[in-house]
Amino acid sequence: MQKKTAYSFPDEILEHVFSFIQSDKDRNAASVVCKSWYEIERWCRRKVFVGNCYAVSPTMVIRRFPDIRSIELKGKPHFADFNLVPDGWGGYVLPWISKMAGAYPWLEEIRLKRMVVTDESLELVAKSFTNLQVLVLFSCEGFSTDGLAAIAAGCKNLRELDLRDSEVDDLSGHWLNHFPDTYTSLVSLNISCLGSDDVSFSALERLVGRCPNLRRLLLNREVPLDKIANLLSRAPQLIEFGTGTYAAELRSDVYSNLVEAFCNCKELKSLSGFWDAVPAYLPVIYSVCSRLTSLNLSYAPIQNPDLTKLVSQCPSLQRMLVLDYIEDSGLEVLASSCKDLQELRVFPSDPFGEEPNVSLTEKGLVAVSSGCPKLQSVLYFCRQMSNAALVTIAQNCPNFTRFRLCLLDPKIADYRTLQPLDVGFGAIVEHCKDLRRLSLSGLLTDCVFEYIGMHAKKLEMLSVAFAGESDLALHHVLSGCESLRKLEIMNCPFGDKALLANAAKLETMRSLWMSSCSVSLGACKMLGQKMPRLNIEVMDEKGPPDSRAESDPVDKLYIYRSVAGPRFDMPPFVWTMDEDFASELS
Amino acid sequence: MIMSENGEGGGRTRGHMGPIIITPSTTFFSLLILHLTQNPYNFLLFLVMEGGLVLLGGGANGGGSGGSSGFSTNESAMSEASSYLAETELELGLGLSIGGPTGKINKASGRILTAKDFPVPRRASMNGGTPPSVTVSGTKRAADQSVPHDGGSPTATSQVVGWPPIRSYRMNSLVNNNQAKAPRAEEEHKGINEEEEEEEDKAIKDGSKLKKPNENLGHIGFIKVNMDGIRIGRKVDLNAHSSYHSLASALENMFLRSAGAEKQQLTMPSRLLDGSSEFVLTYEDKEGDWMLVGDVPWMMFLTSVRRLRIMKTSEVNGLAPRFHERNRTQRSKLI
């Protein structure tokens, strides 16, 4: 045991003090002050966030933190969202659940992102964690409604079940029936990703009816519009609601029921869903519009003027997700009506069309940047951009924390000057000192990367595609961006040099993804040999690396720091470059 | 741990001419940078830049981005650096195959460029210099995509995996929206498909020709494939295939050599399509019916498939009669 001086506090007091420290960073800082603080802190840490499930092993986490109540794990790299990571890559949660089952019987919260979750894992969760209150499966896959049935039956204290964007195998809609009749503690339910036949509506109605604390309910597309009114009338206390399909023949009884139902939801602040929405039914939500802080119309094929009219009625909006049907004109209305807007996402309605189908250009974004002083987070898909517009946007919004611009033609130049968009993005990083996340697109040379390296000191995540001309670009980023944690690159002419020259930087980052670049196998091997605390994973579905030359470029490369060593659950098309790799092949 | 030399821009240390100090924590890479030059930052820049031009290129465009990148190294540093080139070739050559004629992609220009190959670099000037002539080691989907187009036509980019960065469920919902809106367009395309079907085999090599009707119908994207007996399904990108044969062999590869969590010995010796294996390939169409894969024209299959299932042959018997019945009615629709 540690020696205690006359000046040290008893453990209990320190523990109590630590209980006010919630952020991981602060906790980590406290834990390295001295050995006794390390010990006290690790016994009273309740929440762990593992940004890469392969960076550390479950055994290590359990060994250090014996009494965790909340865990968050992330698996696949972000580009898996865009089908760049082949199936079977990994990210299995079962090893974690198995180990935690014995170690953390009091676990209350499990949050998983981009992991493979099997029915077996869910059954184990239901069996092992009787006090589970929160289960969030964000962009996960590998499970079916059978697994959900096990959760429903076993987790009597469940408050939150959120399956956002996950892929669920639909076997039966009756999993909802597995919530016992005595179960009344549901607060948040997000089943928006479920397909057809996955939800027994009557079971859902009964569930909603008996849970008085239900505040958040996001339905799946298959729930028809004429059933919504009934559901809402059982849950007028909802704060957040996601409709199912929002299309139906116009019928006055359905219409008036909906009006009444929405009217009675006095606390409703957030709406989403609206699949296949038809304009005829939009006015039923007018009574709610003035209170709305978040509106997600990104699945609604509604066009102007209906769309703009709706938006103009929502002055309290803080978060807006919409398709490009809103056009520049609609965004101008948004800019003049919604002065509290913090986040805007505009998605393309026809990303592969050769000609633009709507009039959405850089002007819309400029208008919003000018009219909404609190704008912090932008995701914008459009077909043209100019440096001048980007400079204006940057000057209007120095508070940006997230800026993601996606020009549908990824190498398109400034449409007015035909110059690369270096200067525009340069202005963004120069003016927005708090920028944490940036996605680039358009014609970009090494110049923009020099600006990024110079100015983007708080940048944590950078996404790059079809940009740059040489390794210098990558070198600028790796050597200049001090806070960089995640870097993902596709189809850029970056090779070995910058990577090898900045190898040490990689240990300060969570991960680096490079696909369709020019990194050679030899460089990967070298990194693998020289950097034992990095896992260098090469992905190639064409065949094993030993069958090709050292100078051949690898198809996909994923590098991440890890204290757990190389993993052993890789599929046949992933090779890890570690010290043993070379000897294994010889 | 050292890494300050690597971590910083490298340009801050000057007059760094001295013995190489090797400490237990020095890695090969810091050797690279510490060695020799008075101005390691510029030296590195030069090597990186010229090496980049020799080997990598890419990003070239009709928009006129020339060979010189817009970096700001001054001329004197470059000429200084070039004189070190000969001496340092040895060190750099150490197993790294960067720079020099062992360089990978561009077999044509097998020499190391020197200072005289570059014009005076001017920021934001994109003219002059040797335009990089190499192709990016691009996606594996089709050869014609990896060569950058002038201005980058949408047709080319729509075939690149991962672009635009839209998640698949959102993409699928867009497909549904577009298909719902354009039933007439689909009818027209069915007519076109009939003629194209005859030329399908010839057109397979020219991927772009086949892609056009596909694009107008929306991006089909990835659909789920499940195999009886395997718990975890896979996804396959239908856009990457132009015929049933390529789809079937891709599926055979996918499930035949799947390791992962399931270690089942699958004996699928031959094709899924000819009925000689113990598994059969079926698909669920838009109306929710399960059909045998292979009887309708490929393009028609693409418009109606929702997901695939590799079924045991023994379970297929119930499927066949209904399939043939439907097929008859479909054929009569076409005529």
Side-chain angles (χ1 to χ4, degrees):
Chain A
M1 287 307 286
Q2 296 83 12
K3 262 203 270 184
K4 294 204 178 145
T5 71
Y7 300 105
S8 67
F9 287 116
D11 288 0
E12 298 78 29
I13 301 212
L14 274 174
E15 238 184 78
H16 183 67
V17 171
F18 287 159
S19 69
F20 294 101
I21 303 176
Q22 303 288 345
S23 112
D24 281 345
K25 272 196 190 157
D26 295 339
R27 281 256 171 184
N28 292 342
S31 69
V32 295
V33 164
C34 62
K35 279 192 186 147
S36 67
W37 278 38
Y38 178 89
E39 280 298 308
I40 297 166
E41 194 282 319
R42 78 182 187 92
W43 278 95
C44 68
R45 187 166 323 197
R46 298 282 173 256
K47 215 169 153 173
V48 168
F49 168 77
V50 181
N52 174 3
C53 64
Y54 291 117
V56 67
S57 75
T59 311
M60 289 169 166
V61 174
I62 292 168
R63 192 167 56 213
R64 176 160 174 198
F65 300 116
D67 193 6
I68 291 294
R69 305 292 165 90
S70 162
I71 187 152
E72 183 172 350
L73 298 172
K74 295 190 181 179
K76 299 188 205 175
H78 172 240
F79 272 176
D81 285 352
F82 315 127
N83 298 319
L84 281 169
V85 177
D87 267 7
W89 174 85
Y92 305 105
V93 79
L94 188 58
W96 286 84
I97 304 290
S98 310
K99 290 268 159 62
M100 291 194 301
Y104 299 145
W106 305 117
L107 195 64
E108 294 169 0
E109 302 181 355
I110 298 176
R111 294 181 171 84
L112 306 175
K113 187 169 183 180
R114 282 189 215 103
M115 295 198 76
V116 176
V117 180
T118 55
D119 286 344
E120 186 187 348
S121 313
L122 290 176
E123 282 154 24
L124 193 52
V125 164
K127 202 170 61 172
S128 321
F129 307 120
T130 49
N131 204 25
L132 192 70
Q133 295 169 25
V134 171
L135 181 61
V136 176
L137 303 176
F138 187 169
S139 283
C140 295
E141 57 170 356
F143 61 102
S144 74
T145 45
D146 283 355
L148 295 178
I151 296 288
C155 300
K156 314 230 178 317
N157 293 315
L158 198 66
R159 283 184 296 121
E160 182 178 335
L161 178 60
D162 189 336
L163 306 176
R164 48 190 300 204
D165 303 347
S166 291
E167 280 190 34
V168 185
D169 264 347
D170 31 328
L171 297 179
S172 143
H174 300 291
W175 66 275
L176 276 169
N177 287 321
H178 288 255
F179 281 109
D181 291 335
T182 49
Y183 171 75
T184 57
S185 40
L186 196 61
V187 173
S188 166
L189 181 65
N190 178 354
I191 49 173
S192 52
C193 62
L194 294 184
S196 57
D197 303 329
D198 282 351
V199 174
S200 146
F201 191 75
S202 53
L204 180 62
E205 268 188 325
R206 286 196 307 274
L207 180 63
V208 168
R210 65 177 185 271
C211 294
N213 297 321
L214 190 66
R215 295 298 202 166
R216 186 169 173 260
L217 178 63
L218 273 52
L219 302 172
N220 63 328
R221 192 176 192 163
E222 272 60 33
V223 175
L225 190 52
D226 55 3
K227 304 256 200 206
I228 301 263
N230 211 348
L231 208 52
L232 279 178
S233 62
R234 290 170 198 236
Q237 74 281 4
L238 281 179
I239 296 178
E240 191 177 336
F241 181 63
T243 74
T245 183
Y246 208 76
E249 269 178 33
L250 188 55
R251 281 170 41 193
S252 55
D253 53 339
V254 172
Y255 188 95
S256 52
N257 286 343
L258 278 169
V259 169
E260 190 181 338
F262 275 107
C263 220
N264 286 335
C265 293
K266 304 284 185 203
E267 300 186 65
L268 204 51
K269 290 230 176 67
S270 166
L271 283 178
S272 58
F274 297 108
W275 281 284
D276 320 308
V278 294
Y281 278 105
L282 282 184
V284 309
I285 63 170
Y286 281 179
S287 59
V288 183
C289 281
S290 57
R291 267 183 269 122
L292 279 183
T293 56
S294 168
L295 182 57
N296 183 352
L297 293 170
S298 62
Y299 294 102
I302 306 239
Q303 308 196 17
N304 291 334
D306 304 294
L307 183 53
T308 303
K309 180 155 183 232
L310 178 60
V311 164
S312 65
Q313 312 219 6
C314 306
S316 312
L317 271 188
Q318 295 170 14
R319 189 166 179 263
M320 175 83 197
L321 281 70
V322 72
L323 286 173
D324 58 6
Y325 291 129
I326 193 157
E327 297 192 319
D328 291 336
S329 54
L331 288 176
E332 276 156 30
V333 170
L334 182 72
S336 58
S337 318
C338 307
K339 294 303 180 185
D340 286 338
L341 195 71
Q342 294 172 19
E343 179 176 353
L344 174 67
R345 298 195 189 200
V346 180
F347 295 97
S349 53
D350 184 17
F352 297 103
E354 297 198 12
E355 296 299 320
N357 59 327
V358 292
S359 172
L360 180 94
T361 68
E362 82 283 6
K363 299 183 183 59
L365 187 56
V366 171
V368 177
S369 75
S370 160
C372 304
K374 299 187 190 171
L375 193 64
Q376 276 182 18
S377 169
V378 167
L379 170 60
Y380 199 76
F381 285 81
C382 64
R383 288 174 195 267
Q384 71 182 41
M385 188 50 62
S386 68
N387 283 310
L390 282 172
V391 170
T392 306
I393 292 166
Q395 287 167 345
N396 287 340
C397 293
N399 295 327
F400 272 158
T401 52
R402 286 185 286 264
F403 187 73
R404 295 194 277 162
L405 178 65
C406 177
L407 296 168
L408 288 171
D409 176 356
K411 288 203 235 176
I412 197 166
D414 178 326
Y415 76 100
R416 284 165 45 173
T417 64
L418 298 183
Q419 292 294 303
L421 291 170
D422 298 335
V423 168
F425 279 105
I428 296 277
V429 292
E430 192 180 339
H431 289 273
C432 307
K433 306 256 182 254
D434 290 326
L435 197 67
R436 289 196 316 258
R437 185 167 178 187
L438 177 65
S439 297
L440 306 173
S441 62
L443 182 64
L444 296 164
T445 70
D446 288 352
C447 237
V448 69
F449 295 97
E450 190 181 352
Y451 296 142
I452 292 173
M454 205 187 311
H455 293 290
K457 295 303 179 189
K458 297 227 179 124
L459 193 66
E460 296 178 2
M461 182 170 176
L462 179 63
S463 309
V464 183
F466 300 98
E469 297 160 303
S470 75
D471 270 37
L472 199 52
L474 183 55
H475 175 71
H476 282 309
V477 171
L478 289 176
S479 56
C481 297
E482 294 161 358
S483 312
L484 196 63
R485 289 189 301 119
K486 287 181 280 183
L487 179 57
E488 47 186 23
I489 300 172
M490 57 178 272
N491 298 73
C492 294
F494 303 152
D496 300 340
K497 288 192 201 52
L499 202 57
L500 295 175
N502 291 284
K505 171 74 174 173
L506 300 175
E507 279 192 2
T508 69
M509 292 165 52
R510 183 189 297 174
S511 65
L512 167 66
W513 168 279
M514 291 178 76
S515 59
S516 303
C517 296
S518 311
V519 180
S520 75
L521 181 62
C524 296
K525 284 189 190 169
M526 170 133 305
L527 274 175
Q529 282 170 350
K530 298 292 176 187
M531 310 291 294
R533 293 196 297 207
L534 292 180
N535 279 359
I536 316 289
E537 292 186 9
V538 165
M539 252 177 274
D540 207 318
E541 290 179 281
K542 284 197 289 269
D546 56 342
S547 61
R548 287 177 289 126
E550 295 277 297
S551 52
D552 269 1
V554 299
D555 185 23
K556 294 178 177 141
L557 174 62
Y558 185 51
I559 299 176
Y560 56 92
R561 64 179 174 187
S562 174
V563 293
R567 59 184 179 116
F568 298 106
D569 61 356
M570 293 171 301
F573 50 85
V574 176
W575 290 271
T576 183
M577 310 274 125
D578 57 9
E579 290 122 348
D580 305 326
F581 183 74
S583 51
E584 266 169 356
L585 299 172
S586 60
Chain B
M1 245 321 230
I2 35 137
M3 299 305 195
S4 56
E5 294 90 344
N6 291 329
E8 64 182 335
R12 316 296 174 252
T13 52
R14 290 198 169 266
H16 210 63
M17 198 103 164
I20 301 159
I21 298 157
I22 301 178
T23 69
S25 59
T26 308
T27 69
F28 175 79
F29 311 112
S30 53
L31 264 179
L32 209 57
I33 293 172
L34 281 174
H35 196 70
L36 283 184
T37 174
Q38 290 227 326
N39 189 338
Y41 177 57
N42 286 326
F43 175 58
L44 173 68
L45 274 184
F46 173 75
L47 287 169
V48 163
M49 171 198 74
E50 61 84 12
L53 283 165
V54 170
L55 300 169
L56 304 164
N61 217 300
S65 65
S68 65
S69 52
F71 58 88
S72 57
T73 350
N74 50 40
E75 231 180 351
S76 59
M78 278 188 2
S79 47
E80 185 181 77
S82 68
S83 66
Y84 288 121
L85 200 58
E87 298 169 45
T88 57
E89 237 181 271
L90 265 178
E91 284 79 24
L92 286 177
L94 274 175
L96 279 186
S97 73
I98 46 175
T102 57
K104 18 183 172 87
I105 302 166
N106 190 356
K107 307 269 185 268
S109 84
R111 62 181 182 94
I112 297 182
L113 303 177
T114 56
K116 51 184 192 290
D117 290 305
F118 308 110
V120 175
R122 277 184 308 256
R123 204 181 285 248
S125 94
M126 295 301 132
N127 57 342
T130 328
S133 56
V134 302
T135 59
V136 176
S137 64
T139 64
K140 54 189 186 328
R141 299 295 168 188
D144 59 347
Q145 294 163 30
S146 52
V147 176
H149 293 254
D150 280 1
S153 66
T155 318
T157 56
S158 70
Q159 297 165 6
V160 176
V161 180
W163 194 267
I166 300 176
R167 295 159 98 169
S168 38
Y169 69 85
R170 192 178 283 284
M171 203 81 94
N172 292 340
S173 127
L174 290 177
V175 169
N176 286 337
N177 282 346
N178 289 335
Q179 280 181 353
K181 272 196 189 163
R184 259 208 223 145
E186 251 182 52
E187 292 295 295
E188 286 165 29
H189 283 295
K190 274 184 185 158
I192 295 170
N193 291 342
E194 275 253 88
E195 293 157 19
E196 279 205 23
E197 193 192 65
E198 291 153 326
E199 302 178 19
E200 203 179 84
D201 289 324
K202 278 190 260 164
I204 280 172
K205 281 184 191 159
D206 182 8
S208 55
K209 185 175 172 200
L210 269 180
K211 297 290 183 199
K212 278 187 195 146
N214 204 10
E215 272 172 35
N216 286 331
L217 295 171
H219 184 82
I220 304 296
F222 282 71
I223 61 163
K224 284 204 237 188
V225 190
N226 284 86
M227 174 155 170
D228 286 358
I230 297 190
R231 201 183 297 159
I232 298 182
R234 301 284 304 263
K235 281 195 283 186
V236 65
D237 181 6
L238 288 182
N239 264 1
H241 300 282
S242 46
S243 72
Y244 286 121
H245 294 296
S246 85
L247 174 64
S249 61
L251 291 177
E252 282 166 18
N253 284 337
M254 216 184 263
F255 286 93
L256 191 62
R257 60 182 177 96
S258 78
E262 304 280 342
K263 297 241 186 235
Q264 291 195 6
Q265 279 305 317
L266 309 165
T267 47
M268 282 171 41
S270 53
R271 294 159 169 278
L272 288 164
L273 293 175
D274 62 8
S276 62
S277 82
E278 66 180 87
F279 288 94
V280 164
L281 184 58
T282 63
Y283 72 101
E284 183 187 30
D285 69 2
K286 276 191 299 206
E287 280 133 37
D289 297 319
W290 285 92
M291 324 268 285
L292 280 176
V293 164
D295 271 11
V296 300
W298 174 253
M299 295 307 295
M300 184 183 299
F301 169 69
L302 285 185
T303 64
S304 55
V305 63
R306 266 181 38 182
R307 54 181 167 160
L308 293 167
R309 181 174 157 200
I310 301 174
M311 213 185 265
K312 290 204 171 79
T313 321
S314 47
E315 294 191 29
V316 170
N317 292 332
L319 205 59
R322 203 178 58 180
F323 163 71
H324 282 121
E325 203 177 84
R326 268 190 63 114
N327 204 23
R328 260 186 265 123
T329 41
Q330 270 186 344
R331 287 212 171 112
S332 59
K333 266 193 216 166
L334 286 177
I335 301 161

